[in-house]
Amino acid sequence: MTRMAIRADLLDFTSAPPWGSTGLGGVRWRPDHWLLIDGGRIAGAVPGEQPPGEDWQRDDQRGRLLMPGFIDTHVHCPQLDVIASHGKGLLDWLETYTFPAERRFADPAVAAQGAAHFLDALLAHGTTAAVVFPTVHAVSAEALFAAATQRGMRLITGKVLMDRHAPDSLRDAPHDEGAAAERACEALIQRWHGQGRNAYAVTVRFAVTSTPQQLAMAGGLLARHAGLYMQTHVAENRDEVRWVADLFPQARSYLDVYDQAGLLNERAVLAHGIWLDAQDRARLRDSGAQIAFCPSSNLFLGSGLFDWPAAIQAGHQVSLATDVGGGTSLSMLRTAAEAYKVVALQGHQVGSQLSAWTALHAATLGAAHGLGLAHEIGHLGAGALADLALWDWAVGPVATHRDAVARGQVAGLPAQDLHARVFAWMLLGDERNLHRAYVAGRPLYERGPHGPRFASGA
């Protein structure tokens, strides 16, 4: 593989920035540097005025921002069909929009086409790794694994488990005590888990749609197979929380349902976590599980406001996620902007506002740490795979002017600090700012003068 060097402004993180701080703690900022990529991995970085030798393929992208590719820790592949559908809360949304869309993925051709379109869409938004919900159909998970393998992407997914309170066509058969669903999961684990960059996630839709027997089966899978992930939803909506309390009266809380089934560990990703109490947060901390914060979805469905400062105080991990199609964009930049607004709406004291550093860390290195993958993704350090996103700092007249202000290029206005510039980029940017996305050093997406170009094949 050709050795490649990309010249740009390099931004990543070496540790978690202090909450609310706009200083450079944990931030690694290397303006005008060459990022060196050898064999698909990052080999280091050198200043722009010290170019590598002629044996390196040089790509001069001065004036652009190079970051690790984003990691989306909760997103639904089949729900691109229903994104931006009007007027429903969570439970009605599932019945009216989500379940009908997911039925189509029983067809292998639909599943394959949907997986390819979905992964290309992630790349076109600067996301190079994801934790993904397919559908209850094993073929939908197969299609995602196959499409991710073709692209070389880091993917965590697994067949959805549902054996009640769902349409017949989307329900595992309860009459065989879950044996068929368990066999399907075992087959997928044997075929895909640990193969290339694929990892299997035991995928419980949410407590409402699984019997206690199925939850116990899911816990058994985690106990038998080292290194599996677990993904589900928790405490997203108050009606949902009340329903779970009725279905599981022996559980202390919604989170406790999963804990009793053996589903909480350091590889557990639970989406939303809005309606949690202090005891729940302490249990998340002690188990190592993380909450995938989905601000766009929470606002769109009217679910509530996730209390990120409370999570920080409790000490449990938080990553950032789009939750498409409840979320309204695959852009992690738009998602980060919505996260800022959610925190602001809760009226925490001055100094508790969400910084660009905390938001972007949660979508890169923080997510990688939470998934146990910081050796591989989430930063621009030597040895990491070169999963990268190359961005324009500004697109359009408003953002271009705002960026010029930040850089001190507008007469009468002083230059601002780096955080001010990055925060403006985060709030005003989206997928239109993305110039190129790389997976293991290969450019798989580029925004060209005649539209987007994909190179998704192996």
Side-chain angles (χ1 to χ4, degrees):
M1 183 178 291
T2 303
R3 296 201 294 177
M4 177 174 61
I6 306 170
R7 186 176 187 177
D9 297 330
L10 310 185
L11 176 64
D12 68 334
F13 299 90
T14 58
S15 62
W19 178 272
S21 171
T22 60
L24 295 180
V27 179
R28 179 161 51 186
W29 168 240
R30 292 171 287 183
D32 190 17
H33 271 60
W34 294 96
L35 187 72
L36 308 179
I37 302 164
D38 189 358
R41 292 188 178 272
I42 296 170
V46 296
E49 67 273 13
Q50 300 173 19
E54 296 297 328
D55 55 334
W56 292 80
Q57 178 183 315
R58 300 179 194 171
D59 184 11
D60 193 336
Q61 296 289 337
R62 265 177 288 185
R64 288 193 163 111
L65 174 65
L66 188 62
M67 289 187 64
F70 286 131
I71 304 165
D72 191 339
T73 55
H74 180 71
V75 60
H76 295 256
C77 169
Q79 292 188 26
L80 288 184
D81 290 349
V82 299
I83 189 172
S85 295
H86 176 262
K88 299 288 180 179
L90 171 64
L91 299 179
D92 284 336
W93 170 274
L94 290 173
E95 293 289 342
T96 306
Y97 299 119
T98 300
F99 289 157
E102 293 189 0
R103 287 191 191 101
R104 299 176 58 243
F105 281 70
D107 182 335
V110 171
Q113 182 181 40
H117 176 61
F118 170 77
L119 293 181
D120 282 347
L122 288 183
L123 291 170
H125 288 77
T127 296
T128 54
V131 184
V132 183
F133 265 66
T135 69
V136 72
H137 315 103
V139 69
S140 70
E142 290 267 6
L144 274 167
F145 281 130
T149 298
Q150 185 182 41
R151 291 158 179 78
M153 295 175 69
R154 164 56 73 177
L155 184 81
I156 299 169
T157 192
K159 180 195 117 52
V160 172
L161 296 171
M162 295 195 291
D163 66 351
R164 64 172 172 175
H165 300 308
D168 290 346
S169 57
L170 292 174
R171 205 167 57 227
D172 295 309
H175 58 269
D176 64 356
E177 298 182 346
E182 186 172 12
R183 286 195 299 270
C185 291
E186 289 281 5
L188 287 165
I189 291 165
Q190 293 302 319
R191 181 170 181 184
W192 294 108
H193 182 62
Q195 300 302 308
R197 300 184 71 189
N198 294 310
Y200 195 84
V202 175
T203 302
V204 175
R205 183 52 168 270
F206 65 141
V208 164
T209 50
S210 286
T211 59
Q213 293 77 17
Q214 186 173 70
L215 293 174
M217 181 272 285
L221 288 171
L222 287 178
R224 286 197 301 276
H225 297 282
L228 293 189
Y229 290 86
M230 193 286 294
Q231 62 173 337
T232 190
H233 301 79
V234 68
E236 177 179 0
N237 170 284
R238 281 175 288 192
D239 291 339
E240 169 209 14
V241 172
R242 285 190 286 267
W243 194 4
V244 170
D246 290 341
L247 291 172
F248 297 90
Q250 78 287 357
R252 190 200 71 81
S253 68
Y254 192 158
L255 184 74
D256 190 47
V257 172
Y258 299 134
D259 201 9
Q260 290 187 18
L263 296 176
L264 294 188
N265 61 30
E266 68 278 5
R267 292 176 301 279
V269 183
L270 301 101
H272 307 298
I274 298 168
W275 305 103
L276 300 175
D277 61 20
Q279 194 168 335
D280 290 328
R281 294 188 183 101
R283 183 65 189 115
L284 287 169
R285 177 198 64 218
D286 294 342
S287 68
Q290 66 176 292
I291 292 295
F293 174 27
C294 310
S296 170
S297 172
N298 298 159
L299 293 171
F300 180 72
L301 295 175
S303 299
L305 306 176
F306 174 70
D307 194 339
W308 200 339
I312 294 291
Q313 185 174 9
H316 74 74
Q317 299 184 87
V318 177
S319 55
L320 204 58
T322 64
D323 192 29
V324 163
T328 52
S329 174
L330 287 174
S331 169
M332 292 293 277
L333 287 180
R334 293 190 188 187
T335 301
E338 295 302 287
Y340 176 84
K341 298 168 192 175
V342 166
V343 173
L345 277 169
Q346 294 172 81
H348 293 285
Q349 70 265 24
V350 174
S352 291
Q353 289 88 350
L354 180 65
S355 69
W357 304 142
T358 295
L360 294 173
H361 175 266
T364 55
L365 183 62
H369 272 304
L371 297 171
L373 295 173
H375 63 285
E376 175 190 325
I377 55 176
H379 60 94
L380 303 180
L385 280 168
D387 290 359
L388 311 169
L390 183 65
W391 301 91
D392 289 327
W393 278 101
V395 172
V398 172
T400 298
H401 176 76
R402 179 65 184 85
D403 187 60
V405 170
R407 290 183 291 141
Q409 295 186 343
V410 175
L413 295 175
Q416 299 175 333
D417 64 13
L418 178 63
H419 182 269
R421 188 183 187 197
V422 173
F423 183 77
W425 170 74
M426 186 180 84
L427 267 287
L428 299 176
D430 56 30
E431 65 273 17
R432 292 168 294 184
N433 293 64
L434 183 66
H435 179 67
R436 193 178 292 151
Y438 304 79
V439 170
R442 291 195 302 143
L444 295 191
Y445 167 83
E446 184 170 3
R447 188 191 69 247
H450 305 295
R453 293 186 298 171
F454 294 92
S456 301

